[in-house]
Amino acid sequence: METTEDEDSHISVTPQPGLKDKNWVNVQKITFTRWINAQLRVNESEKEVVNLTSDLSDGVVLAVVVSGLSGQKITVNPAPTGRFGKLINVEKSLSVMRKLGLELVNIDASDVVNKNEKLILALIWSMIQGFQITDMSVDGFSSSDTDAGAVKSSKRHKKLKKRKKKKVPTATLR
């Protein structure tokens, strides 16, 4: 940090470049890890995420969470050996999310397997927006009712409303 004195003898503290970004990323990681763990508890999974990037990289936790949120059964290998098995696991979850209309801009299975922190955070934010925030407005009005994207959003609402009526299964692990 730099400390400078201006003309009026006021001291200002300037954070180091990038420090604000690092703090923001840490806040997101903590918040999103808690959200993922809450979803795992809802789905009665014994898994717990400690390190967001590592724990999602094999696709197993992601499948449990997406399966619970979407109401769709996702069958994955519970202990994938090697990169190819992990890519298949992750791609199955991403495919379900795309079918439900979640926007996964520039995010693919290799980003998760490669533990790309920023893109994993973006993926989880897309999940929160697509599943949780949309869920809050399924039975009422939403801000998207006045947006240009209301038609796409209403299709997602219908899919999610159908999902809410079903009993939510968990992911099947082979």
Side-chain angles (χ1 to χ4, degrees):
M1 285 193 195
E2 284 184 41
T3 306
T4 57
E5 252 184 83
D6 62 12
E7 300 166 358
D8 299 328
S9 297
H10 290 100
I11 297 175
S12 67
V13 177
T14 308
Q16 293 174 342
L19 186 61
K20 186 176 180 184
D21 291 338
K22 288 179 186 175
N23 288 339
W24 180 242
V25 168
N26 285 333
V27 168
Q28 285 183 331
K29 284 187 340 189
I30 291 166
T31 303
F32 292 173
T33 299
R34 288 179 181 165
W35 183 80
I36 291 286
N37 283 326
Q39 300 310 310
L40 291 170
R41 284 190 299 277
V42 166
N43 292 309
E44 299 176 357
S45 174
E46 294 179 11
K47 296 196 172 290
E48 182 180 2
V49 171
V50 176
N51 182 316
L52 199 58
T53 54
S54 296
D55 294 344
L56 293 180
S57 69
D58 66 0
V60 176
V61 168
L62 187 61
V64 172
V65 172
V66 172
S67 180
L69 290 167
S70 70
Q72 296 188 19
K73 184 177 179 180
I74 302 173
T75 304
V76 295
N77 181 344
T81 55
R83 180 175 173 76
F84 188 70
K86 293 176 182 181
L87 286 168
I88 290 172
N89 280 357
V90 172
E91 186 53 45
K92 287 179 180 183
S93 296
L94 295 180
S95 177
V96 168
M97 289 188 276
R98 284 187 200 103
K99 285 178 187 172
L100 290 173
L102 272 71
E103 293 185 33
L104 306 177
V105 180
N106 294 328
I107 301 170
D108 64 23
S110 65
D111 297 318
V112 178
V113 173
N114 292 340
K115 303 175 186 175
N116 184 323
E117 184 175 77
K118 287 189 178 183
L119 291 178
I120 290 171
L121 293 173
L123 172 65
I124 296 170
W125 177 241
S126 294
M127 292 168 63
I128 292 169
Q129 283 183 304
F131 291 119
Q132 300 284 218
I133 294 174
T134 302
D135 268 353
M136 291 189 311
S137 59
V138 167
D139 296 322
F141 296 101
S142 74
S143 61
S144 63
D145 293 336
T146 57
D147 291 342
V151 172
K152 186 173 185 176
S153 180
S154 67
K155 287 179 184 176
R156 190 179 317 147
H157 281 300
K158 288 176 186 173
K159 288 180 183 178
L160 289 171
K161 211 169 193 177
K162 250 189 230 180
R163 171 183 62 89
K164 286 177 89 173
K165 291 180 182 177
K166 295 180 184 177
K167 184 177 180 189
V168 180
T170 57
T172 304
L173 304 176
R174 297 187 273 160

mmCIF file of all heavy atoms in Angstrom, residues 2-14:
data_model
loop_
_atom_site.group_PDB
_atom_site.id
_atom_site.type_symbol
_atom_site.label_atom_id
_atom_site.label_comp_id
_atom_site.label_asym_id
_atom_site.label_seq_id
_atom_site.Cartn_x
_atom_site.Cartn_y
_atom_site.Cartn_z
ATOM 1 N N GLU A 2 0.384 2.236 -0.681
ATOM 2 C CA GLU A 2 1.081 3.508 -0.701
ATOM 3 C C GLU A 2 0.322 4.499 0.153
ATOM 4 O O GLU A 2 -0.891 4.580 0.104
ATOM 5 C CB GLU A 2 1.132 4.057 -2.128
ATOM 6 C CG GLU A 2 2.137 3.388 -2.999
ATOM 7 C CD GLU A 2 2.175 4.067 -4.354
ATOM 8 O OE1 GLU A 2 2.106 5.317 -4.417
ATOM 9 O OE2 GLU A 2 2.249 3.341 -5.338
ATOM 10 N N THR A 3 1.057 5.251 0.947
ATOM 11 C CA THR A 3 0.451 6.300 1.745
ATOM 12 C C THR A 3 0.973 7.631 1.225
ATOM 13 O O THR A 3 2.177 7.808 1.090
ATOM 14 C CB THR A 3 0.821 6.146 3.233
ATOM 15 O OG1 THR A 3 0.486 4.834 3.637
ATOM 16 C CG2 THR A 3 0.093 7.147 4.081
ATOM 17 N N THR A 4 0.060 8.527 0.908
ATOM 18 C CA THR A 4 0.467 9.835 0.400
ATOM 19 C C THR A 4 -0.244 10.914 1.188
ATOM 20 O O THR A 4 -1.308 10.696 1.754
ATOM 21 C CB THR A 4 0.094 9.987 -1.095
ATOM 22 O OG1 THR A 4 -1.297 9.775 -1.248
ATOM 23 C CG2 THR A 4 0.875 9.004 -1.948
ATOM 24 N N GLU A 5 0.390 12.084 1.227
ATOM 25 C CA GLU A 5 -0.222 13.227 1.902
ATOM 26 C C GLU A 5 -0.537 14.263 0.846
ATOM 27 O O GLU A 5 0.288 14.589 0.011
ATOM 28 C CB GLU A 5 0.757 13.822 2.921
ATOM 29 C CG GLU A 5 0.353 13.546 4.339
ATOM 30 C CD GLU A 5 1.283 14.230 5.317
ATOM 31 O OE1 GLU A 5 1.078 15.422 5.586
ATOM 32 O OE2 GLU A 5 2.183 13.548 5.800
ATOM 33 N N ASP A 6 -1.769 14.759 0.866
ATOM 34 C CA ASP A 6 -2.111 15.790 -0.101
ATOM 35 C C ASP A 6 -1.927 17.168 0.530
ATOM 36 O O ASP A 6 -1.476 17.298 1.658
ATOM 37 C CB ASP A 6 -3.521 15.587 -0.649
ATOM 38 C CG ASP A 6 -4.603 15.674 0.424
ATOM 39 O OD1 ASP A 6 -4.288 16.106 1.542
ATOM 40 O OD2 ASP A 6 -5.751 15.316 0.120
ATOM 41 N N GLU A 7 -2.284 18.216 -0.228
ATOM 42 C CA GLU A 7 -2.059 19.592 0.209
ATOM 43 C C GLU A 7 -2.734 19.928 1.530
ATOM 44 O O GLU A 7 -2.235 20.720 2.308
ATOM 45 C CB GLU A 7 -2.572 20.559 -0.860
ATOM 46 C CG GLU A 7 -1.882 20.395 -2.184
ATOM 47 C CD GLU A 7 -2.633 21.123 -3.281
ATOM 48 O OE1 GLU A 7 -3.702 21.711 -3.036
ATOM 49 O OE2 GLU A 7 -2.128 21.108 -4.416
ATOM 50 N N ASP A 8 -3.888 19.375 1.810
ATOM 51 C CA ASP A 8 -4.645 19.705 3.007
ATOM 52 C C ASP A 8 -4.280 18.802 4.181
ATOM 53 O O ASP A 8 -5.014 18.715 5.155
ATOM 54 C CB ASP A 8 -6.156 19.590 2.738
ATOM 55 C CG ASP A 8 -6.601 20.540 1.643
ATOM 56 O OD1 ASP A 8 -6.003 21.629 1.528
ATOM 57 O OD2 ASP A 8 -7.539 20.179 0.905
ATOM 58 N N SER A 9 -3.146 18.142 4.108
ATOM 59 C CA SER A 9 -2.662 17.236 5.141
ATOM 60 C C SER A 9 -3.612 16.068 5.404
ATOM 61 O O SER A 9 -3.706 15.569 6.513
ATOM 62 C CB SER A 9 -2.398 17.990 6.453
ATOM 63 O OG SER A 9 -1.394 18.940 6.252
ATOM 64 N N HIS A 10 -4.312 15.640 4.380
ATOM 65 C CA HIS A 10 -5.134 14.440 4.479
ATOM 66 C C HIS A 10 -4.298 13.262 4.004
ATOM 67 O O HIS A 10 -3.586 13.354 3.015
ATOM 68 C CB HIS A 10 -6.401 14.540 3.614
ATOM 69 C CG HIS A 10 -7.381 15.527 4.156
ATOM 70 N ND1 HIS A 10 -7.500 16.792 3.653
ATOM 71 C CD2 HIS A 10 -8.285 15.434 5.160
ATOM 72 C CE1 HIS A 10 -8.430 17.451 4.312
ATOM 73 N NE2 HIS A 10 -8.926 16.641 5.239
ATOM 74 N N ILE A 11 -4.385 12.188 4.704
ATOM 75 C CA ILE A 11 -3.636 10.998 4.317
ATOM 76 C C ILE A 11 -4.568 10.090 3.533
ATOM 77 O O ILE A 11 -5.687 9.805 3.949
ATOM 78 C CB ILE A 11 -3.098 10.257 5.558
ATOM 79 C CG1 ILE A 11 -2.130 11.173 6.294
ATOM 80 C CG2 ILE A 11 -2.449 8.951 5.165
ATOM 81 C CD1 ILE A 11 -1.630 10.607 7.594
ATOM 82 N N SER A 12 -4.094 9.657 2.370
ATOM 83 C CA SER A 12 -4.893 8.709 1.591
ATOM 84 C C SER A 12 -4.085 7.429 1.405
ATOM 85 O O SER A 12 -2.872 7.462 1.260
ATOM 86 C CB SER A 12 -5.278 9.299 0.239
ATOM 87 O OG SER A 12 -4.137 9.476 -0.562
ATOM 88 N N VAL A 13 -4.778 6.336 1.455
ATOM 89 C CA VAL A 13 -4.135 5.039 1.305
ATOM 90 C C VAL A 13 -4.602 4.452 -0.019
ATOM 91 O O VAL A 13 -5.801 4.322 -0.263
ATOM 92 C CB VAL A 13 -4.509 4.097 2.468
ATOM 93 C CG1 VAL A 13 -3.897 2.743 2.272
ATOM 94 C CG2 VAL A 13 -4.080 4.715 3.786
ATOM 95 N N THR A 14 -3.657 4.103 -0.873
ATOM 96 C CA THR A 14 -3.964 3.505 -2.156
ATOM 97 C C THR A 14 -3.598 2.029 -2.097
ATOM 98 O O THR A 14 -2.451 1.697 -1.821
ATOM 99 C CB THR A 14 -3.134 4.184 -3.276
ATOM 100 O OG1 THR A 14 -3.316 5.591 -3.180
ATOM 101 C CG2 THR A 14 -3.547 3.683 -4.633
#
